[in-house]
Amino acid sequence: MPYSAQASERPPVSGGAARYAELFEWSLTDPQAFWAEAARDVSWIREPRTVLDDSNPPYYRWFPDAQLNTCVNALDRHVAAGRADQPALIYDSPVTGSQRTYTYAELLDETARFAGVLRRLGVAKGDRVVVYMPMIPEAVIAMLACARIGAVHSVVFGGFAPHELASRIDDATPVVVVSASCGIESSRTVEYKPMLDAALDAAEHRVGACVIVARDQLRCSMIENRDHDWHELMATAEPAEPVAVAATDPLYVLYTSGTTGAPKGVVRDNGGHAVALMWSMRHVYDVRPGEVFWAASDVGWVVGHSYIVYGPLLLGATTVLYEGKPVGTPDPGAFWRVAAEHRVKVLFTAPTAIRAIRKEDPDGTHIRRHDLSALKYLFLAGERLDPDTYHWASHQLGVPVVDHWWQTETGWPIAANPMGVEALPFKAGSPTVPMPGYDVRILHPDGDRCEPGEEGVVCLKLPLPPGTLPTLWNDDARYQASYLCEHPGYYLTGDGGYLDDEGYLFVMGRVDDVINVAGHRLSTGAIESVIAAHPAVAECAVIGVADEIKGQVPRGFVVLKAGASPEGLADALIKSVRDEIGAVACFKLVDVVAALPKTRSGKILRKTMRGIAHGKDEPMPSTIEDPGVLHALRPILRPD
């Protein structure tokens, strides 16, 4: 299989000296030339001659005549280039008290042998494999092994309820499911195998084989002729050689969190994905081969796909796989311990994680206990970064805190501060500027463009850049209906926001989170920013609730920092909102609560809270981190 062993050593395609504005303009005026240059960092089996196929809009395809193998790009070429002994994957598990480092050579060996296991179980190019795993190295190996043989993996967050897993199995129709006996959290062990068995019983699709990683913390029963022990299979496995796939062939299907009804599977192709992630690792995150990058997320989410597994390994960097929490494993210094111990250059996590750390350690005492001299950047995404959290992290860490914004559907940042190009001035509350390839427009409901500073819906002019979703799994019609029909020629992000007069993007939250108070449209995100600035508030959520006179009014829920008193807080917050937003907000309802309901990726379940407050029979979301939090909040949301 031909590939360039030195591809990952080449300097950034921009030379590292071009200013952001020049790169951005080039990407929009001549996208074919821009992405052809970026594609030079990828090792192709058959190099692309056509960069963009725009013959069938809105179904655009990048590098349609090219071939590659994503696993080769992530592993083989780095071994060939002399990085065999460099750490590729550092597994750090405070919940089990264990660590392990895999070199590139070791990770390649494990991956090739598990690819052989999958082949022996009947998995062929184009077949699907569902991965239902905790944060253990075998999850990464399973994903890369699928890529090696051209199979399509679909990772389902470990611990999802059986009916949710069953719906994804029916949609993806996998040949094999890869799972584990259990997941481990700081206070409990979660049995995966009974949930997997229940899902397979409930699914209409029949899965031929399951591969189970039996963890020492909990063994499980195996079903004869269907279930296979990972370690037993690996003991006799023959390594599989990589296969060539088309750049437009799917690498994975990832179901968006919080789906209702039929699952919505975001498709990621091989070629555009590799090009975009390589570009972003260098230019957005300022990472070079051999440096340590840590995305403190989960492989079940898009961040885990893009920036735990593929992005760092495609570049030839070292990635950290962390099985733990920001607090409680064992204390709010957990992240700083990992960053110091493994000499992490870039830490990427969610604002929720930083708010949780701040709640337990408001003075940053645990930060100062660790040598963070290697840490150069903290990147945050997944929830809106309120200015107060931004300022706290900036002050405590003394490094750039980079807010950036993207979606499961896009796979890499829509807007960021491109630290590998140039550090632009920061503006609190903004993820800075659109990245090359993303033509961001703010539109009115009638499709007209908004003026600078004027809020509307955030849309992306087609075609989307490489790495973004080309469609939904087996559902082109739903792809168009969900994203493309409201404003023809544009992708609808579903978020509201505005561009200021310097081109900085401000994302104010989901369009659903805009409330109408006596005819005035107000962003709940703007109210949350005011509330979060109070020194007693660790985190907050604002939802719109029905009002007989004004139609809707905002209602706030706040979680206090450790040691903070609620006395007088409601009056102070109401006054702050009145002073900074105005009486028009009609903000008069504030509750102090012990915790806010969140997904496992850290997003606050505002839609669920809003539904309960409106008297709807909201089911327990499959993505919820702690059902007890929502149970405790229900009587407060809907006391009658």
Side-chain angles (χ1 to χ4, degrees):
M1 175 176 293
Y3 57 86
S4 169
Q6 299 301 318
S8 64
E9 302 296 335
R10 208 182 288 120
V13 293
S14 67
R19 293 178 57 81
Y20 156 77
E22 296 169 347
L23 277 178
F24 183 69
E25 182 179 3
W26 182 25
S27 77
L28 296 190
T29 57
D30 194 354
Q32 304 225 24
F34 181 91
W35 292 112
E37 181 68 13
R40 293 179 59 230
D41 266 358
V42 171
S43 296
W44 301 94
I45 297 168
R46 184 170 68 206
E47 294 193 356
R49 295 184 179 179
T50 301
V51 175
L52 173 64
D53 177 5
D54 57 1
S55 64
N56 185 32
Y59 301 104
Y60 298 92
R61 296 293 183 267
W62 291 95
F63 315 111
D65 54 1
Q67 288 185 342
L68 75 162
N69 183 277
T70 295
C71 180
V72 165
N73 275 271
L75 299 177
D76 301 61
R77 67 169 175 167
H78 302 311
V79 172
R83 296 188 177 276
D85 296 328
Q86 177 198 308
L89 176 68
I90 298 172
Y91 169 58
D92 189 305
S93 174
V95 296
T96 63
S98 62
Q99 293 186 22
R100 181 177 175 184
T101 296
Y102 293 76
T103 66
Y104 267 95
E106 290 170 337
L107 191 57
L108 174 56
D109 175 66
E110 294 274 331
T111 296
R113 287 193 294 121
F114 191 67
V117 167
L118 292 176
R119 275 200 170 157
R120 197 166 74 193
L121 292 174
V123 179
K125 179 179 174 180
D127 287 340
R128 275 76 61 208
V129 174
V130 163
V131 178
Y132 181 65
M133 300 276 273
M135 287 286 285
I136 56 178
E138 289 85 351
V140 177
I141 292 164
M143 294 167 70
L144 292 166
C146 289
R148 190 167 192 81
I149 60 174
V152 180
H153 62 71
S154 183
V155 182
V156 179
F157 189 95
F160 257 26
H163 72 279
E164 294 288 346
L165 176 57
S167 68
R168 286 151 175 77
I169 289 171
D170 280 336
D171 197 64
T173 61
V175 175
V176 169
V177 173
V178 185
S179 189
S181 58
C182 66
I184 301 165
E185 299 183 2
S186 55
S187 60
R188 63 184 182 130
T189 299
V190 182
E191 295 187 60
Y192 282 14
K193 187 57 164 50
M195 291 189 286
L196 173 60
D197 290 341
L200 292 171
D201 287 343
E204 293 183 7
H205 173 72
R206 297 293 96 187
V207 173
C210 296
V211 181
I212 309 297
V213 178
R215 305 190 74 182
D216 293 338
Q217 292 78 11
L218 181 71
R219 297 291 167 164
C220 61
S221 60
M222 305 284 273
I223 295 177
E224 191 174 357
N225 297 324
R226 189 198 72 185
D227 297 343
H228 305 268
D229 181 272
W230 172 290
H231 300 293
E232 291 179 2
L233 292 177
M234 289 288 279
T236 59
E238 292 292 330
E241 291 298 313
V243 302
V245 299
T248 53
D249 282 344
L251 172 65
Y252 68 77
V253 176
L254 180 60
Y255 293 96
T256 55
S257 61
T259 55
T260 56
K264 186 164 66 175
V266 170
V267 173
R268 195 80 63 215
D269 65 8
N270 275 270
H273 172 260
V275 171
L277 290 192
M278 284 285 287
W279 192 93
S280 70
M281 286 298 297
R282 293 185 185 276
H283 296 82
V284 176
Y285 300 105
D286 191 26
V287 181
R288 296 294 177 266
E291 295 179 331
V292 183
F293 183 93
W294 176 25
S297 181
D298 191 284
V299 293
W301 307 126
V302 69
V303 173
H305 283 57
S306 293
Y307 296 115
I308 294 177
V309 181
Y310 289 110
L313 297 179
L314 286 167
L315 182 67
T318 299
T319 187
V320 177
L321 181 75
Y322 175 70
E323 188 180 25
K325 299 288 186 182
V327 298
T329 53
D331 55 42
F335 274 19
W336 319 127
R337 190 272 302 169
V338 173
E341 195 169 309
H342 303 304
R343 306 297 292 167
V344 171
K345 177 183 179 179
V346 179
L347 169 56
F348 173 6
T349 190
T352 298
I354 302 302
R355 287 193 287 263
I357 293 169
R358 183 188 180 192
K359 179 178 183 290
E360 299 296 324
D361 186 26
D363 297 326
T365 302
H366 285 273
I367 294 174
R368 290 184 289 278
R369 290 175 180 166
H370 299 279
D371 176 9
L372 297 178
S373 57
L375 186 67
K376 302 304 180 187
Y377 306 105
L378 171 65
F379 279 80
L380 298 173
E383 270 269 294
R384 186 170 181 271
L385 175 59
D386 58 280
D388 200 44
T389 300
Y390 163 75
H391 288 303
W392 181 86
S394 298
H395 172 72
Q396 294 292 343
L397 293 171
V399 301
V401 175
V402 187
D403 183 14
H404 62 320
W405 173 67
W406 48 295
Q407 301 179 322
T408 299
E409 290 85 350
T410 66
W412 64 286
I414 299 170
N417 199 322
M419 305 309 291
V421 178
E422 63 171 330
L424 300 173
F426 288 90
K427 294 185 181 183
S430 171
T432 315
V433 291
M435 288 297 89
Y438 289 104
D439 189 352
V440 176
R441 307 287 180 92
I442 311 298
L443 302 182
H444 288 292
D446 63 5
D448 287 344
R449 293 182 69 173
C450 295
E451 296 295 324
E454 186 180 10
E455 281 195 40
V457 64
V458 183
C459 296
L460 309 176
K461 193 173 187 300
L462 300 179
L464 298 177
T468 56
L469 81 168
T471 188
L472 294 175
W473 180 251
N474 286 337
D475 206 340
D476 287 351
R478 190 177 182 190
Y479 168 60
Q480 289 204 49
S482 297
Y483 303 106
L484 308 180
C485 287
E486 185 162 337
H487 295 292
Y490 294 89
Y491 166 88
L492 180 72
T493 69
D495 281 299
Y498 64 92
L499 289 163
D500 72 6
D501 55 7
E502 293 183 303
Y504 279 62
L505 177 66
F506 289 78
V507 181
M508 305 308 294
R510 303 298 291 172
V511 173
D512 288 346
D513 291 332
V514 174
I515 60 177
N516 194 313
V517 181
H520 298 276
R521 288 172 58 82
L522 296 172
S523 164
T524 57
I527 300 173
E528 287 178 6
S529 292
V530 176
I531 295 172
H534 192 282
V537 174
E539 60 182 348
C540 64
V542 173
I543 62 171
V545 296
D547 182 84
E548 290 184 1
I549 297 174
K550 297 184 179 295
Q552 284 182 298
V553 293
R555 183 177 177 187
F557 299 86
V558 300
V559 178
L560 300 183
K561 292 177 186 172
S565 170
E567 186 175 351
L569 179 63
D571 290 341
L573 295 177
I574 290 167
K575 182 178 185 303
S576 294
V577 171
R578 185 183 183 92
D579 290 347
E580 297 194 33
I581 295 180
V584 67
C586 198
F587 182 65
K588 299 177 181 179
L589 303 172
V590 184
D591 288 281
V592 176
V593 296
L596 294 169
K598 300 173 187 173
T599 67
R600 292 181 178 93
S601 62
K603 294 183 179 180
I604 297 171
L605 291 163
R606 294 175 179 84
K607 183 178 180 181
T608 300
M609 292 171 64
R610 189 166 58 242
I612 294 171
H614 289 162
K616 295 180 181 178
D617 185 19
E618 289 285 338
M620 186 66 67
S622 62
T623 57
I624 195 165
E625 181 178 35
D626 183 354
V629 173
L630 189 58
H631 283 308
L633 197 58
R634 280 182 187 272
I636 301 172
L637 285 162
R638 191 72 178 176
D640 56 344

